Amino acid sequence: MVDWFARPSSVWWGFAVVHLYFLGWMASFFLNGDTFSDTEQYRQWATDGYNPQDLDGKISPWVYPVLAQLPIFLANIAGPSLYLLVWFLIITALNAVGILYLTRGPRRVSGIAPAWWWLFFTIFMGYLSFARVEGITAPIVLIALLYAAERPVVAGVLLSIATWIKVWPAAVLAPIVIASRKRIQVVLAGAGVTAVVALGTWLSGGLPHIMDFLLNQGERGMQLEATFSTPWVWLSVFNIAGSKMADNTAINSTEVYGPGASTAAFLMQPLLILAAVVAAVLLVRALNRGAEREELFLEGSLMMVTAFIVFNKVGSPQFIIWLAPVIIAGLTHDWDRWKVPAALLMGIAMTTFVIYPLFYTPLIHAHPVMAAILTTRNVLLVVLLWWSVKRTAELGRKNSAPVPAGA
């Protein structure tokens, strides 16, 4: 029986079972012409168009980088009533490509166990993976990471495309730029992708909105699930100093309110930038001390992506999907070294599943048990960040000899 699970064919059977399960679950929506979660918002954009002036104060599709509009509008190809089905099939196809890259060629052996890990992770996060833009970007980032050691320029192109769909892949691109011998080519590849995106946006008449995804985040408060929102969650549970959780209808999120919450929201962006700078310094230090490059960009990616989550004032549950491609690539590279963060992320996925979609309503009504589960999830995220920082710093201590110039 164990031998069966070690075969690439077994992974495809697992892939079929997991995805057919979610297809069946989604069928309860799309057979009635309905959507699920954020796909309702995506369908509205696909039918109303991309021009914010035409949306009468509704949420604009430009809250995402411009390339997100490609899958959002493509999913409407069979009409609004089948929107969710087509969206699901797009993500399923991308996941299949990811599995293919994990189970063929040089990864035919080392990629089997990580592929199974991904399938178990999908069981918990699939409700989010199949209903958010993260489901589009995650397999693209995974393929880029699998390419990164041997073909960093290809990885740079894929990550740049993914970043123009949702910003978070930039947290993976930065460590690859630092660790790669071909960093200039990687940067040029990213610049080329950006130039093509800008040209296409200009030709479509949307250039004035191309940076709206950055500007639209500025007035956000501290979202309920964000790591740094935890104190105000508990203040709301005990109804201290008028603290509460309430909807921000302008951006369709639930935020925390109470003493100091607005100040914390203001400080989160500079804290996130500072965390990214510190992470970059650790990576450069490790590289200059002779760290092995592939392990460096993998652990650096985990550190940077986790920092993007921990120091983020948003903290939506789908953000946990960001971590999966890095963990899968790490497990493929060195299972023993990466089994600890893999276990941590599985625990994070399980607690996130309890939070959403199972018991999100009790959470926003300040139920103490759900507040405790959210706190547990956030503590696990901090532990994961600590692990990645510690291991990256250790890479920088392995060899005190500097890397030769031009290496």
Side-chain angles (χ1 to χ4, degrees):
M1 188 66 177
V2 174
D3 290 341
W4 183 84
F5 281 99
R7 300 172 187 167
S9 59
S10 72
V11 175
W12 286 106
W13 280 108
F15 177 90
V17 169
V18 170
H19 285 73
L20 283 173
Y21 164 76
F22 281 105
L23 177 62
W25 188 82
M26 294 288 182
S28 64
F29 294 90
F30 66 71
L31 289 178
N32 296 311
D34 295 329
T35 55
F36 170 70
S37 189
D38 282 18
T39 55
E40 176 56 36
Q41 183 68 69
Y42 302 162
R43 182 169 67 172
Q44 177 186 310
W45 290 336
T47 55
D48 291 351
Y50 69 86
N51 190 349
Q53 281 73 30
D54 297 337
L55 298 178
D56 297 325
K58 299 175 184 176
I59 300 171
S60 165
W62 295 91
V63 296
Y64 291 139
V66 60
L67 288 188
Q69 294 179 33
L70 295 181
I72 286 172
F73 287 102
L74 178 61
N76 200 41
I77 193 170
S81 62
L82 292 177
Y83 189 92
L84 180 61
L85 172 61
V86 178
W87 181 264
F88 171 86
L89 293 176
I90 292 171
I91 292 174
T92 299
L94 289 170
N95 287 348
V97 176
I99 291 290
L100 182 65
Y101 274 89
L102 277 173
T103 56
R104 70 169 193 172
R107 289 174 291 274
R108 184 176 176 84
V109 175
S110 63
I112 300 299
W116 276 112
W117 184 94
W118 186 12
L119 292 175
F120 279 105
F121 178 85
T122 302
I123 291 171
F124 296 105
M125 299 302 295
Y127 296 92
L128 293 163
S129 299
F130 295 118
R132 309 287 168 93
V133 170
E134 276 75 8
I136 302 290
T137 53
I140 298 174
V141 172
L142 172 60
I143 295 165
L145 282 169
L146 296 177
Y147 260 123
E150 298 175 358
R151 299 183 180 179
V153 176
V154 174
V157 169
L158 290 173
L159 288 170
S160 298
I161 291 171
T163 300
W164 277 106
I165 297 174
K166 193 76 186 280
V167 177
W168 72 268
V172 177
L173 183 57
I176 292 176
V177 169
I178 291 171
S180 175
R181 289 184 174 90
K182 297 182 178 180
R183 61 180 64 89
I184 294 176
Q185 293 96 316
V186 173
V187 171
L188 290 175
V193 169
T194 299
V196 171
V197 169
L199 176 62
T201 307
W202 175 68
L203 291 173
S204 67
L207 193 60
H209 302 293
I210 195 169
M211 301 306 290
D212 281 8
F213 68 96
L214 294 177
L215 303 175
N216 286 333
Q217 307 301 316
E219 297 181 0
R220 277 181 178 264
M222 295 294 295
Q223 188 165 312
L224 165 62
E225 304 98 307
T227 307
F228 277 69
S229 293
T230 305
W232 288 278
V233 170
W234 285 104
L235 288 174
S236 300
V237 168
F238 294 109
N239 195 25
I240 296 174
S243 300
K244 63 178 182 178
M245 308 175 202
D247 288 339
N248 182 339
T249 54
I251 53 174
N252 192 30
S253 71
T254 303
E255 298 176 356
V256 293
Y257 299 87
S262 59
T263 302
F266 175 78
L267 291 175
M268 289 312 296
Q269 190 149 353
L271 277 174
L272 178 56
I273 294 170
L274 178 61
V277 170
V278 171
V281 169
L282 282 174
L283 286 166
V284 172
R285 174 180 174 272
L287 180 65
N288 289 336
R289 294 191 173 194
E292 193 268 318
R293 290 177 185 270
E294 184 171 2
E295 188 63 42
L296 180 62
F297 73 66
L298 287 170
E299 292 190 9
S301 295
L302 180 62
M303 174 175 59
M304 197 76 78
V305 173
T306 311
F308 267 41
I309 298 172
V310 170
F311 291 95
N312 201 313
K313 65 179 177 181
V314 180
S316 298
Q318 69 267 22
F319 286 11
I320 305 307
I321 298 166
W322 302 358
L323 294 161
V326 185
I327 294 293
I328 297 163
L331 289 171
T332 305
H333 176 65
D334 188 339
W335 178 273
D336 288 337
R337 186 175 180 87
W338 281 79
K339 61 187 179 184
V340 171
L344 285 170
L345 182 53
M346 195 62 74
I348 291 167
M350 291 177 181
T351 49
T352 301
F353 175 68
V354 173
I355 294 165
Y356 186 92
L358 293 186
F359 300 110
Y360 194 68
T361 299
L363 175 62
I364 63 178
H365 288 93
H367 195 286
V369 173
M370 290 309 302
I373 292 172
L374 176 62
T375 302
T376 301
R377 197 281 305 269
N378 289 343
V379 168
L380 288 174
L381 278 169
V382 173
V383 171
L384 183 61
L385 177 60
W386 172 83
W387 185 95
S388 63
V389 170
K390 180 174 178 289
R391 295 307 290 261
T392 303
E394 287 174 355
L395 284 175
R397 291 197 293 267
K398 278 187 175 182
N399 185 353
S400 60
V403 175

